[in-house]
Amino acid sequence: MHPLHQLIHSFSPINEKSWQQLFEHCEELTIAKGKNFIREGEKEKYIGFIMEGTMRQYYSRDNGEEITTYFYFENNLVSSYISCINNTPSQITIEALEKTKLLIFNYSVINELYNKEKVWERFGRKIAEYLAAGLEERMVSLLMDKPEDRYKKLLNSTNKQKILARIPQHYIANYLGITPISLSRIRNRLSKNK
Amino acid sequence: MHPLHQLIHSFSPINEKSWQQLFEHCEELTIAKGKNFIREGEKEKYIGFIMEGTMRQYYSRDNGEEITTYFYFENNLVSSYISCINNTPSQITIEALEKTKLLIFNYSVINELYNKEKVWERFGRKIAEYLAAGLEERMVSLLMDKPEDRYKKLLNSTNKQKILARIPQHYIANYLGITPISLSRIRNRLSKNK
DNA sequence: TAAATTCGTTAACAAAAGATAATAAATTGA
DNA sequence: TCAATTTATTATCTTTTGTTAACGAATTTA
């Protein structure tokens, strides 16, 4: 089974024939390190599936400052999801942190599949529910936990160990809602308490 | 059209017959001020639709402290959504801030409707997408905006004016991710700059 | 390889936020 | 109605965070 088919299947059972309806619209795309997959302001809507590589998602302030809000790795779906569902220009930019191989398809393809088959509609529901649950958890952590606790959670999350291994620290600081300097101090504090 | 039917219809077109499949499982429930609709740890999953009243949603810390994360008003759906979709005990409590009249139905009912009809499955997708978009916006605001800016946004959001009118300030402070004292200082600062 | 850039840490100071306590105003309930 | 509780503000002190700048280490690239 293709890794993307497998991922989709884990949300909603999609048989080989239905899968082909998506797969025949997929293309491969390789993004060089530092280049963007999705750019702020863009209207063309693509969904990507990471075969290999790492990406970061960020919002930009008026002064050009970039605020990193998410990281993507192998087997992750990557897109400006909000701009797809609301049909608005993307507010985010998604950049390759290393050379990244993607399988991509246009959002309109998946949108048509939603109309065609109930199992695809279910996939759409499940993926949105999964996203909402993740966002809620993140939001609650921002409201309830101190920065130091958020960093500790990141350290303990086996799933996110790769974040620490592959991602420059100042991006992680953004992700935690603090400055790189503050993260450096937290790390210093933690290393002394051992 | 029943106000709940109308709300559902705005996400996915549901005809009268399909609507009745939900409506026949609905019950009315009135919650007195200060009483809970959903309690932390609870497994029974109900969805409520507010006919009249105001509710607040909160998480509890180990020390008993309550962190308010959401407010609900007339025509809002209210539930421990995450615990419904993940089938886990509720982490949140939802309390009536004033006497609140609800129309309620069990989550299992809507879950069965997802299986029965594609239009219901679509409703499920649309509502999850709507939720995800709202949560992302909130999360980004927590990462990018200063507390003062978040409060200003709240002031400018016509939709949320009723929050200010009906909700005690220390709950709003929680919602903004700051202490009541800090919110009081922000208000003081803003009133002087006029 | 050498020069340039990026990255992480540290220091010093300023600004903001949290904690605690006191007080006044508003609301609630017996 | 009046005492009790809740709510909002203010003051003081402490802690944390942000800001700016400096420095060395690591990485990139010409």
Side-chain angles (χ1 to χ4, degrees):
Chain A
M1 224 190 221
H2 188 286
L4 175 55
H5 186 185
Q6 205 153 5
L7 177 70
I8 292 170
H9 199 83
S10 73
F11 284 100
S12 172
I14 301 284
N15 65 30
E16 188 58 30
K17 195 183 154 199
S18 294
W19 154 249
Q20 285 301 329
Q21 289 185 288
L22 176 64
F23 192 54
E24 69 191 8
H25 291 100
C26 289
E27 290 171 49
E28 285 194 17
L29 177 64
T30 299
I31 315 250
K33 179 174 180 173
K35 299 295 180 190
N36 296 328
F37 169 48
I38 286 164
R39 280 149 292 269
E40 188 191 343
E42 216 163 51
K43 286 179 188 173
E44 265 289 281
K45 304 295 161 45
Y46 281 95
I47 315 286
F49 174 75
I50 302 186
M51 310 285 284
E52 199 184 304
T54 312
M55 311 193 96
R56 84 173 169 112
Q57 164 180 315
Y58 63 87
Y59 285 75
S60 299
R61 276 197 230 275
D62 298 337
N63 65 9
E65 203 185 340
E66 299 170 355
I67 309 295
T68 300
T69 54
Y70 216 80
F71 305 107
Y72 300 98
F73 304 96
E74 280 86 7
N75 270 19
N76 284 172
L77 285 171
V78 46
S79 81
S80 180
Y81 188 71
I82 308 297
S83 85
C84 285
I85 62 181
N86 290 339
N87 195 28
T88 51
S90 176
Q91 287 189 270
I92 60 169
T93 300
I94 297 180
E95 174 198 67
L97 289 178
E98 29 184 273
K99 182 182 164 189
T100 299
K101 283 188 191 172
L102 293 169
L103 205 65
I104 66 166
F105 52 92
N106 201 293
Y107 181 69
S108 63
V109 175
I110 201 89
N111 217 12
E112 279 164 34
L113 289 174
Y114 287 162
N115 291 326
K116 271 191 196 162
E117 287 189 69
K118 194 161 169 302
V119 286
W120 280 110
E121 188 70 76
R122 169 153 301 188
F123 166 71
R125 169 168 70 88
K126 291 286 186 175
I127 200 94
E129 288 178 350
Y130 172 81
L131 245 165
L135 285 166
E136 164 116 4
E137 189 182 339
R138 182 101 178 274
M139 189 201 73
V140 170
S141 180
L142 287 169
L143 286 177
M144 295 187 69
D145 300 336
K146 286 180 295 185
E148 186 168 319
D149 295 332
R150 292 203 288 278
Y151 182 63
K152 281 185 194 164
K153 275 188 183 176
L154 194 66
L155 288 177
N156 290 329
S157 140
T158 51
N159 182 15
K160 289 171 186 168
Q161 287 286 2
K162 43 186 161 185
I163 290 183
L164 303 162
R166 296 205 230 169
I167 311 280
Q169 205 164 292
H170 61 287
Y171 294 149
I172 297 176
N174 282 178
Y175 178 86
L176 296 171
I178 53 179
T179 60
I181 291 117
S182 194
L183 177 55
S184 186
R185 283 193 282 232
I186 286 169
R187 285 161 55 83
N188 185 320
R189 243 180 284 152
L190 290 179
S191 71
K192 279 177 186 166
N193 294 349
K194 272 180 189 169
Chain B
M1 224 190 220
H2 189 284
L4 175 55
H5 186 184
Q6 204 153 5
L7 177 70
I8 292 169
H9 199 83
S10 73
F11 284 98
S12 172
I14 301 284
N15 65 29
E16 188 58 30
K17 194 184 154 200
S18 295
W19 155 248
Q20 284 301 330
Q21 289 185 288
L22 175 65
F23 192 53
E24 68 191 10
H25 291 100
C26 289
E27 290 171 49
E28 286 195 16
L29 177 65
T30 299
I31 315 250
K33 177 174 181 172
K35 299 295 179 188
N36 297 329
F37 168 46
I38 285 164
R39 279 150 292 268
E40 189 191 342
E42 214 161 53
K43 288 180 185 172
E44 263 290 281
K45 304 294 162 44
Y46 281 95
I47 314 286
F49 174 75
I50 301 185
M51 311 285 284
E52 198 185 304
T54 311
M55 311 192 95
R56 84 174 168 112
Q57 164 181 316
Y58 64 87
Y59 285 76
S60 299
R61 274 197 232 275
D62 298 335
N63 64 11
E65 203 184 338
E66 299 171 354
I67 308 297
T68 300
T69 54
Y70 216 79
F71 305 107
Y72 299 98
F73 304 96
E74 280 85 9
N75 270 20
N76 284 173
L77 285 171
V78 45
S79 81
S80 179
Y81 188 71
I82 307 297
S83 84
C84 285
I85 62 181
N86 290 339
N87 195 28
T88 52
S90 176
Q91 288 190 269
I92 60 169
T93 300
I94 298 179
E95 173 198 68
L97 289 177
E98 28 184 276
K99 182 182 163 188
T100 299
K101 283 188 192 173
L102 294 168
L103 206 64
I104 66 167
F105 52 91
N106 202 294
Y107 180 68
S108 63
V109 175
I110 201 89
N111 218 11
E112 279 164 34
L113 290 174
Y114 287 162
N115 290 327
K116 272 190 195 164
E117 286 188 71
K118 193 161 170 304
V119 285
W120 280 110
E121 189 71 76
R122 169 152 301 187
F123 166 72
R125 170 168 69 88
K126 290 286 187 176
I127 201 95
E129 287 178 352
Y130 173 81
L131 245 166
L135 285 166
E136 163 115 4
E137 190 182 339
R138 183 101 177 274
M139 189 201 72
V140 170
S141 180
L142 288 169
L143 286 176
M144 295 186 70
D145 301 335
K146 286 179 294 185
E148 186 168 322
D149 295 333
R150 291 203 289 278
Y151 182 63
K152 280 184 194 163
K153 275 188 181 175
L154 194 66
L155 289 175
N156 291 328
S157 139
T158 49
N159 182 14
K160 290 172 186 168
Q161 286 287 1
K162 43 185 159 185
I163 289 183
L164 302 162
R166 295 204 229 170
I167 310 279
Q169 204 164 291
H170 60 288
Y171 294 150
I172 297 176
N174 281 179
Y175 179 86
L176 296 171
I178 53 178
T179 60
I181 292 115
S182 197
L183 178 54
S184 186
R185 283 192 282 233
I186 287 169
R187 284 162 55 83
N188 185 320
R189 243 181 284 153
L190 290 179
S191 71
K192 278 176 184 165
N193 294 350
K194 273 180 187 169

